Amino acid sequence: MVKPSIPSMKTRIGVGAAALLAAGAMAAAGVGAASASPSTTAPVSAASPSHAATGGANAAKGAGGLQAFLSLDADSPQAAGDRAAKAAAALVKHPQLFAKLPAAVQADVTTLKDAAPADRVKDAYKIKTTALSGGYGAEIQKRAEALEKTATGLAGLRQELRTAFSSGNPGAGLQQVADQLISHPKVFAKLPANLQADLTALKNAAPADLDAQANKIKDTALNGGYGAKVQKMAEALQKKAATPST
């Protein structure tokens, strides 16, 4: 009879981490309280044994959301702070989720929710630094550290993509992107199957074929061959590439 309490305790810790991460998820998606779906709260309501059994998976699922806070710097644009504040407000309006947070997180999220526009970046950045320093506990710190590493890598990928889209010879740059994406299996697995296949082909291409393979990927992305989401990203990259940098 002692054993059931052990997973239950782990689930509660994981749920607390997931609750904070859910706030970041909402910030990343740019949603407010009104558009947060009931599914945000349902998975982390550890009210029944079935929820307890899936708590770890739900915590892992919500983990990516903390990236919205981890991407913030002390001098981030106002818009980033505004998105984080909206996420905080949405979280506070979901009592079942909010109650799972450590008290220190509840206090900081509430401060962010009520912050004046000029203070939002500072307050959101505080959540990031506190999470990374262990101020919200070891579970959240561990997730924050792993996510920051991933977020840093993805930021590098975005820069590589911009460079490739602005180059007349995109082969080498996109091959590097392909190599990095493939080395992150969880990220790579979320890509459309035909994009996975083309990136794998590009990674393994001979030097003489790199530009042709890379241009095929660019054209397919821009024409919607990998789906609307990838097309939208490709169009944004092309737009940025067409804007002369100063």
Side-chain angles (χ1 to χ4, degrees):
M1 294 305 232
V2 177
K3 282 201 165 188
S5 66
I6 296 173
S8 179
M9 176 65 80
K10 281 189 176 178
T11 297
R12 290 182 62 155
I13 293 171
V15 164
L20 173 61
L21 302 170
M26 288 183 274
V31 302
S35 60
S37 71
S39 63
T40 307
T41 54
V44 294
S45 171
S48 69
S50 62
H51 283 133
T54 57
N58 290 321
K61 186 178 179 183
L66 187 57
Q67 289 174 0
F69 295 117
L70 292 176
S71 64
L72 283 166
D73 291 317
D75 58 351
S76 288
Q78 178 66 45
D82 292 344
R83 284 194 299 272
K86 280 185 180 179
L91 181 57
V92 171
K93 289 186 178 181
H94 287 77
Q96 285 183 309
L97 193 60
F98 190 64
K100 307 297 182 190
L101 293 168
V105 183
Q106 291 186 30
D108 288 346
V109 168
T110 301
T111 296
L112 173 58
K113 174 185 77 78
D114 298 331
D119 294 328
R120 287 172 183 168
V121 169
K122 171 179 65 71
D123 290 338
Y125 181 61
K126 181 191 172 189
I127 293 174
K128 166 186 173 175
T129 55
T130 305
L132 287 169
S133 66
Y136 300 137
E139 177 73 12
I140 290 176
Q141 181 182 28
K142 189 168 88 172
R143 293 178 186 278
E145 288 172 345
L147 288 165
E148 186 181 48
K149 191 174 179 182
T150 301
T152 301
L154 292 175
L157 284 179
R158 282 194 294 271
Q159 185 54 50
E160 290 284 356
L161 280 168
R162 286 192 198 107
T163 302
F165 265 72
S166 63
S167 170
N169 304 100
L174 273 182
Q175 186 184 49
Q176 197 170 359
V177 169
D179 188 53
Q180 290 185 58
L181 281 170
I182 291 168
S183 71
H184 288 82
K186 288 183 181 178
V187 176
F188 189 66
K190 292 178 180 177
L191 298 175
N194 57 342
L195 178 53
Q196 290 183 39
D198 287 347
L199 287 170
T200 302
L202 176 61
K203 182 195 172 195
N204 299 321
D209 298 329
L210 285 179
D211 285 339
Q213 291 271 13
N215 280 318
K216 176 196 168 190
I217 290 173
K218 282 171 59 176
D219 292 343
T220 304
L222 288 166
N223 292 326
Y226 300 130
K229 196 177 285 189
V230 174
Q231 182 180 28
K232 189 175 178 183
M233 289 171 60
E235 288 171 346
L237 282 166
Q238 188 180 55
K239 199 171 183 180
K240 285 189 178 181
T243 305
S245 55
T246 54

